[in-house]
Amino acid sequence: MADNSKQGERREIRLGPDSFPDHPVGSKFVQDLKCALEQQDRERVNHLLQHRVKCVDAIIELSNDDWMKDPSAQLDPLVLLGLWSLEYKQELTSPLCIAAGHGYTDCLQYLLQRGAKPNMIVGTKNALHAACENAHTDCTQQLLEHGANPRLLTEDGLSALHLCNTAQTFRCAKLLLKYRADVNQLTEDLESPLHVVARQGLHNHVHLYLRYGAIVNTMNVHRESPLGSACGNAWSPESQEDYLQACKVLITYGANVNSVDDENRSPLHKASKNASLQLVQLLLKHKADVNAIDYNGCSPLANVIQTAPFKEELNPHRTVQALLNHGSRRVWPAAFPKVLKSCAGSPRTIEVLFNSYQQIQVTEEWMEAVPEEFFQLHRPFYESLFALACSPRSLQHLCRFAARKLFGDQCHALIPRLPMPKCLRAYLLLEPEDLVC
């Protein structure tokens, strides 16, 4: 824990873009420093910061794109027409920020021992922000031990804890909390650190923050909860397991599975849109409302149908199955041609949905809705579907529909318990067969 005698050093010092740099961008020192940083020459950077700077808290200008000072600058035509504006940007930093941001612990220790101010914000951030942003645990610890304030914000309104947004920053986050970082500190958009790590699927961070008292159902400016943030970003097949674990932890700590954002979208809406089957199953298991409607009039089922063509690698028909087996209302029959048109490349999604109806009239409009390329690619399925235009559904299917109607929204729970062959249970649960009859 930081020594109380150092509390006087924890004051915030901000040096903004109007501050005059001790080492301008055109100086020999900055040119040498930038070259050493580009080459990742640690020894050279250490030498420059320890022996060539004017003082340990010098202001260093790493870049300056003030194009107005250069009359020969070639400007984009859109700028000249006033359709696109350029902003003047100046990047200021300090020796301490450079050392912390690159993980140069020896140099950092040298600067701190010679009185460098750990809370001085130069440009947009201070050294602690730079260390956490780049997951340099040893630098983070050194700064905290020398009185760095973990609650100071960057110019963008982010605390050091908000910047711990990768798996590699876990130990930095632990140190910040040990030194009294505010786990519920909010940005201007009311984003908590828990929102940030939930959005990234960082389940270890999520668990850590909740153990330190993070508010599980806190809402950001869009009324989105951490659970909603996690479900909305679980789109990558490679990260599904991480998001699943993060959501499990959030729900264990009391996350509201039916919270809605400012567009009335629930976590289930977002998980369904991403065709995240395991997340959908988790939410349904914890009583998520399968028929919730957002401000666009969409249910979770409508969301997965809309995105199915773009999520084929995630088998969106499985998500459609899960929602229907938990009692989701089906698509209005008259809208089925639209489903065919948008989901033609996902015939199993069409099959699962089609088999949830007792009887739905196949018309010539259906045939016109399927693009020729998809018809040829999935010809056996579409031929079996369009053949039903002049024939009724099979008795087997009608029995399936009657059984499913009897079980209602408990199909998922009751059908697996029936004493019948596995293949029949799968049939009742709408398992696709790539043909319809």
Side-chain angles (χ1 to χ4, degrees):
M1 193 65 64
D3 191 338
N4 289 335
S5 66
K6 297 185 188 229
Q7 292 301 311
E9 298 176 19
R10 294 166 67 88
R11 296 193 306 273
E12 175 183 359
I13 303 172
R14 285 186 182 266
L15 298 174
D18 295 331
S19 304
F20 187 78
D22 299 297
H23 298 278
V25 68
S27 66
K28 174 93 167 45
F29 168 80
V30 172
Q31 297 305 311
D32 291 344
L33 178 62
K34 290 173 74 172
C35 182
L37 288 171
E38 288 171 4
Q39 295 174 359
Q40 299 183 359
D41 187 342
R42 182 178 187 137
E43 185 175 339
R44 178 68 173 153
V45 172
N46 285 348
H47 173 79
L48 289 168
L49 295 181
Q50 293 179 27
H51 303 294
R52 293 269 305 277
V53 293
K54 293 182 179 181
C55 68
V56 290
D57 287 323
I59 304 174
I60 301 170
E61 184 182 37
L62 284 183
S63 67
N64 185 336
D65 62 358
D66 188 2
W67 55 273
M68 293 183 69
K69 291 182 179 179
D70 183 3
S72 65
Q74 297 295 314
L75 302 183
D76 190 287
L78 292 177
V79 175
L80 300 176
L81 291 171
L83 300 177
W84 175 45
S85 64
L86 285 177
E87 291 184 0
Y88 163 47
K89 293 181 181 178
Q90 180 186 39
E91 183 184 353
L92 299 179
T93 188
S94 68
L96 207 62
C97 278
I98 292 173
H102 287 82
Y104 296 161
T105 52
D106 294 341
C107 184
L108 186 72
Q109 186 69 24
Y110 174 91
L111 295 167
L112 288 168
Q113 288 176 346
R114 280 152 184 78
K117 301 179 181 66
N119 292 315
M120 185 171 75
I121 294 180
V122 182
T124 62
K125 58 191 173 186
N126 65 19
L128 185 61
H129 298 137
C132 292
E133 190 173 35
N134 294 285
H136 295 309
T137 307
D138 292 341
C139 292
T140 298
Q141 182 161 356
Q142 283 187 27
L143 289 163
L144 290 167
E145 288 174 350
H146 282 80
N149 185 349
R151 300 189 182 201
L152 292 186
L153 302 178
T154 67
E155 285 296 309
D156 295 325
L158 304 176
S159 70
L161 209 55
H162 285 100
L163 297 172
C164 293
N165 56 10
T166 64
Q168 292 74 29
T169 61
F170 180 72
R171 291 174 61 204
C172 290
K174 285 186 71 174
L175 282 168
L176 290 169
L177 291 169
K178 177 183 175 182
Y179 281 81
R180 307 263 178 111
D182 184 356
V183 75
N184 290 307
Q185 193 165 8
L186 302 178
T187 67
E188 290 183 1
D189 291 335
L190 306 182
E191 287 270 308
S192 69
L194 188 60
H195 278 103
V196 173
V197 295
R199 186 173 293 112
Q200 299 298 326
L202 302 175
H203 54 91
N204 288 327
H205 286 68
V206 168
H207 197 191
L208 174 69
Y209 293 178
L210 289 168
R211 286 196 293 110
Y212 270 85
I215 300 172
V216 71
N217 287 311
T218 184
M219 300 288 184
N220 64 17
V221 72
H222 299 296
R223 285 178 46 205
E224 185 174 54
S225 68
L227 181 62
S229 295
C231 291
N233 284 272
W235 53 266
S236 169
E238 296 78 21
S239 61
Q240 294 286 306
E241 183 61 28
D242 291 329
Y243 281 100
L244 178 64
Q245 295 305 320
C247 291
K248 281 182 177 179
V249 174
L250 288 165
I251 291 173
T252 298
Y253 276 80
N256 180 4
V257 298
N258 287 310
S259 63
V260 293
D261 63 15
D262 55 5
E263 294 186 14
N264 226 41
R265 296 174 302 177
S266 68
L268 186 58
H269 277 102
K270 297 172 184 181
S272 298
K273 188 170 185 177
N274 287 323
S276 302
L277 176 62
Q278 289 183 302
L279 271 183
V280 166
Q281 290 173 327
L282 175 69
L283 295 166
L284 291 171
K285 177 183 176 183
H286 288 88
K287 310 302 181 185
D289 184 356
V290 73
N291 288 308
I293 301 297
D294 66 15
Y295 283 154
N296 293 316
C298 290
S299 66
L301 180 64
N303 276 1
V304 67
I305 290 172
Q306 288 171 0
T307 60
F310 316 107
K311 300 286 184 178
E312 268 300 281
E313 73 279 9
L314 291 173
N315 296 315
H317 69 278
R318 297 291 183 196
T319 301
V320 172
Q321 249 183 297
L323 294 169
L324 289 170
N325 287 329
H326 281 78
S328 173
R329 297 189 187 96
R330 292 157 297 178
V331 175
W332 185 250
F336 213 88
K338 292 183 179 179
V339 175
L340 276 170
K341 188 172 183 178
S342 65
C343 293
S346 182
R348 287 190 166 188
T349 298
I350 294 171
E351 179 184 352
V352 170
L353 187 59
F354 180 72
N355 283 335
S356 67
Y357 298 87
Q358 179 180 20
Q359 182 80 34
I360 182 170
Q361 183 63 44
V362 179
T363 66
E364 192 172 313
E365 185 184 1
W366 288 31
M367 303 174 196
E368 296 171 353
V370 178
E372 180 65 21
E373 58 179 306
F374 289 124
F375 177 83
Q376 295 299 336
L377 188 61
H378 307 288
R379 190 183 189 97
F381 169 75
Y382 283 116
E383 285 183 341
S384 71
L385 177 65
F386 298 149
L388 293 174
C390 51
S391 63
R393 297 301 303 269
S394 67
L395 180 59
Q396 180 175 289
H397 166 73
L398 296 177
C399 290
R400 169 170 59 184
F401 179 83
R404 289 180 58 81
K405 185 177 180 180
L406 178 64
F407 295 136
D409 61 6
Q410 292 301 304
C411 284
H412 68 284
L414 299 179
I415 290 176
R417 296 163 59 183
L418 294 175
M420 60 174 56
K422 185 177 179 180
C423 61
L424 278 180
R425 289 199 296 269
Y427 181 78
L428 288 175
L429 289 169
L430 304 177
E431 187 67 21
E433 298 176 328
D434 299 321
L435 293 170
V436 292
C437 61

